[in-house]
Amino acid sequence: NHPYPFEHFAYANAGHYIGEPYWPTAGNVAIHPVGGVTLSSGGTSAGTAFANADSWVKLLEFLEANLRTISH
């Protein structure tokens, strides 16, 4: 019963971090600054790059469509 519009997309081979498109996706491993443990966001570089580019376009379209209805 969520009152607001939403969409969910799942991307094969994408990692847990989906962000802006056209940034390098090969470095999906980092060292936690406090705990010192190795963290991996998973996925493949190609899968994450595709998800970044595809979801970015869909995000902008979603915001355009839904924010316009709120502001009018």
Side-chain angles (χ1 to χ4, degrees):
N1 295 328
H2 192 276
Y4 302 104
F6 67 92
E7 294 183 36
H8 177 263
F9 299 97
Y11 294 95
N13 300 312
H16 289 282
Y17 174 74
I18 303 298
E20 301 86 2
Y22 315 116
W23 286 88
T25 57
N28 64 356
V29 176
I31 305 298
H32 190 278
V34 177
V37 297
T38 302
L39 304 172
S40 173
S41 63
T44 65
S45 293
T48 301
F50 175 80
N52 286 346
D54 188 68
S55 66
W56 186 255
V57 172
K58 290 177 179 175
L59 170 66
L60 295 178
E61 290 170 350
F62 180 85
L63 292 175
E64 176 73 22
N66 291 286
L67 291 180
R68 282 201 183 276
T69 61
I70 292 171
S71 65
H72 286 110

